[in-house]
Amino acid sequence: MSRPAALIVDDEPDILELLDITLARMDIDAYKAVDLAQARTLLTQQTFDLCLTDMRLPDGNGIDLVKLISKNHPQLPVAVITAHGNMESAIQALKAGAFDFASKPIDLQMLRQLVRSALKLDHRQVATGPGDSQPGTQLLGTSKAIGRIRAMTLRLARSQAPVYISGESGTGKELAARLIHEQGPRADSEFTAVNCGAIPQELMESEFFGHAKGSFTGAVAEKQGLFQQAEGGTLFLDEVADLPFQMQVKLLRAIQEKKVRPVGMQKEEPVDVRIISATHKNLAEMVTRGEFRQDLFYRINVIELHIPPLRERREDIPLLAEYMLENIGRQNGLEKTAIEKQALESLSRYGFPGNVRELENILERALTLSDGNLIRLEDIQLPESGAEILPTEQAMPLESYLEQMEREAIIRALEESRWNRTAAAKKLGISFRQLRYRLEKLGID
């Protein structure tokens, strides 16, 4: 098996020698260039597996080389070396298509990790269609919108740039984040997801960065934070807009320096984590109102991926419904499930303010209350308006609202049958197995 080849571009002899020695110890052949002209020539003469380039070159800058490689050699990962603290240049390079960046003075441990990640990419095959992605996480649908998202996630998977996923609640933002992770060089490491709005503010720093034993009351043992748990992998920050200002500052430093300091510790620890964030809120508007730090916004929003609402891709509803019914039926012990044409047409006309998550909830409820394993039009219970979900003055999340309705119907049937489950199931028109499943899910004892 031939050794990997790397193109290194820098006009400083000491840096070239350091990179050459480091790569040689990793069994990688290094080809040196001192400026853009030499780099262009070598790119026409040799096939490379990796490119490392300084940002400042005698006849241009590293971004020019990044753009050239992105255009003519799209499967070649290129990383830029920036001056210490010059995050603006690093972000420009990532936006231009750079795989990653390293700061001077070069941290050899982090450089070696960067090189290993780049070499994990498959430079020979690029998936382009819905059937070409890796097995596991899937974005189902045949719409043009889903096709664009698939292509975009594949491109993003070949980069280490921070990604910001925008879109309404229930559109599948975490699913897209997982797909980016699974198609990239970090697929063998952890995908760690955290809801930023679900962590108590007083525990947030400890949850993110870890803590030392005895660092505060209740810290009876040393604990790893989310950054350490995601080492080598991806950290998905869901509902990042809910982070308090103080934590935004600490998160910004961790992302920029690629280091964290556990609570109660004096030294910072290096971390190799890719950040993907998401929220259903408008972060740009929050920045304008002073509710979210502008510097953190630009740092996590290097590349934005927008997930469209389900109402903008209605042609995907039949395929999504078929997939969801199969899963729901399996959970209920039903071998085969189906939905009548009229019921499917009704779903296709609905606005789905709760998006894909709402579709799954509606189907789950319909199948539970249906006669057997076939969903008919009368089993589909939709709000009168796709935009107005609740008839009450005080709104609540759609999922909670539907669960409440279902809970009331089941409890009413149980009370009327004196809590005889077999009789209650008969009243509801469902099997005993289905009723037992619903009781367990809703926590009804």
Side-chain angles (χ1 to χ4, degrees):
M1 184 175 179
S2 59
R3 284 160 52 113
L7 171 62
I8 52 178
V9 189
D10 202 305
D11 62 336
E12 295 184 40
D14 291 346
I15 298 294
L16 277 179
E17 184 178 1
L18 175 64
L19 295 175
D20 189 7
I21 293 172
T22 302
L23 293 172
R25 289 175 176 172
M26 298 178 71
D27 293 325
I28 301 171
D29 293 327
Y31 294 76
K32 306 174 189 176
V34 297
D35 54 27
L36 283 175
Q38 283 191 11
R40 291 191 190 100
T41 301
L42 285 171
L43 283 167
T44 62
Q45 299 173 347
Q46 173 74 30
T47 299
F48 295 101
D49 300 283
L50 169 68
C51 175
L52 298 171
T53 179
D54 191 21
M55 183 61 74
R56 293 186 176 183
L57 298 170
D59 54 349
N61 60 55
I63 294 180
D64 295 330
L65 185 58
V66 171
K67 292 179 178 178
L68 174 70
I69 290 176
S70 296
K71 180 180 179 180
N72 299 328
H73 310 275
Q75 297 183 49
L76 172 60
V78 52
V80 296
I81 301 171
T82 65
H84 178 70
N86 193 349
M87 286 306 301
E88 185 177 345
S89 295
I91 291 174
Q92 287 179 348
L94 291 171
K95 285 181 178 291
F99 168 78
D100 206 346
F101 71 93
S103 299
K104 295 179 181 178
I106 297 175
D107 184 318
L108 293 183
Q109 180 181 345
M110 294 182 67
L111 176 65
R112 284 191 286 266
Q113 180 59 47
L114 183 156
V115 171
R116 282 193 289 266
S117 294
L119 293 180
K120 285 181 182 178
L121 290 170
D122 183 358
H123 309 315
R124 296 165 185 83
Q125 288 186 337
V126 178
T128 55
D132 296 326
S133 59
Q134 293 184 8
T137 304
Q138 298 181 62
L139 279 172
L140 294 175
T142 57
S143 64
K144 291 182 179 179
I146 284 295
R148 286 193 295 269
I149 293 172
R150 284 198 195 97
M152 187 66 171
T153 57
L154 188 62
R155 288 197 296 271
L156 294 177
R158 297 183 62 81
S159 167
Q160 298 302 294
V163 177
Y164 166 57
I165 304 178
S166 61
E168 297 176 6
S169 294
T171 50
K173 295 186 290 294
E174 181 174 342
L175 190 67
R178 287 185 180 275
L179 191 60
I180 293 171
H181 170 78
E182 291 178 6
Q183 292 182 129
R186 297 178 178 269
D188 294 336
S189 299
E190 289 294 320
F191 176 90
T192 304
V194 55
N195 187 323
C196 297
I199 305 176
Q201 188 167 339
E202 63 273 13
L203 298 177
M204 196 162 280
E205 187 174 356
S206 170
E207 287 295 315
F208 274 93
F209 308 134
H211 63 248
K213 181 180 179 180
S215 55
F216 55 86
T217 303
V220 296
E222 183 176 318
K223 177 188 175 182
Q224 277 194 334
L226 293 165
F227 271 84
Q228 292 95 328
Q229 291 174 25
E231 174 66 25
T234 300
L235 179 58
F236 176 58
L237 305 176
D238 197 10
E239 298 305 338
V240 68
D242 293 338
L243 286 174
F245 243 69
Q246 182 181 5
M247 192 60 203
Q248 291 177 30
V249 177
K250 296 179 183 295
L251 178 62
L252 175 65
R253 175 172 175 78
I255 295 173
Q256 290 187 163
E257 302 298 326
K258 298 185 178 182
K259 294 179 181 178
V260 298
R261 178 180 294 174
V263 177
M265 300 284 283
Q266 299 299 316
K267 293 180 62 177
E268 290 185 321
E269 300 176 359
V271 287
D272 172 36
V273 172
R274 184 181 190 181
I275 300 294
I276 300 180
S277 56
T279 182
H280 71 281
K281 298 179 181 179
N282 190 320
L283 270 190
E285 288 184 0
M286 292 182 66
V287 170
T288 302
R289 295 194 302 265
E291 298 172 359
F292 197 85
R293 289 184 62 96
Q294 185 179 53
D295 46 7
L296 178 58
F297 174 65
Y298 287 130
R299 189 65 190 90
I300 63 175
N301 189 25
V302 174
I303 302 174
E304 180 176 352
L305 174 62
H306 179 70
I307 310 296
L310 186 56
R311 62 184 172 274
E312 293 182 7
R313 52 185 187 96
R314 296 177 188 272
E315 58 267 47
D316 293 334
I317 291 176
L319 183 59
L320 287 167
E322 180 184 352
Y323 176 79
M324 291 173 180
L325 279 176
E326 184 180 340
N327 287 338
I328 298 169
R330 191 182 305 115
Q331 293 169 358
N332 283 272
L334 300 173
E335 292 185 3
K336 189 175 181 180
T337 57
I339 181 170
E340 281 187 344
K341 183 179 178 181
Q342 293 87 343
L344 192 58
E345 289 174 349
S346 174
L347 289 175
S348 297
R349 290 191 299 268
Y350 179 58
F352 286 104
N355 294 293
V356 178
R357 189 180 299 144
E358 182 183 2
L359 171 61
E360 184 174 19
N361 202 305
I362 289 172
L363 289 172
E364 190 170 23
R365 177 176 174 81
L367 187 61
T368 301
L369 301 179
S370 68
D371 182 15
N373 56 0
L374 176 64
I375 294 178
R376 296 182 172 86
L377 179 60
E378 56 267 27
D379 300 319
I380 300 292
Q381 299 182 14
L382 301 174
E384 292 182 3
S385 169
E388 186 66 29
I389 303 175
L390 301 180
T392 58
E393 293 182 0
Q394 183 176 4
M396 69 176 72
L398 175 71
E399 190 170 350
S400 300
Y401 173 64
L402 293 176
E403 283 189 359
Q404 179 178 309
M405 289 177 60
E406 187 174 351
R407 181 189 300 273
E408 291 174 358
I410 292 175
I411 290 177
R412 190 183 308 115
L414 286 167
E415 288 175 344
E416 291 175 356
S417 59
R418 298 185 180 182
W419 292 85
N420 182 311
R421 295 188 179 188
T422 302
K426 190 174 182 179
K427 276 181 175 289
L428 292 167
I430 61 177
S431 68
F432 180 79
R433 182 195 295 269
Q434 288 173 311
L435 176 61
R436 186 174 60 186
Y437 168 76
R438 304 309 298 169
L439 292 173
E440 292 177 357
K441 181 178 179 182
L442 295 171
I444 300 174
D445 187 4

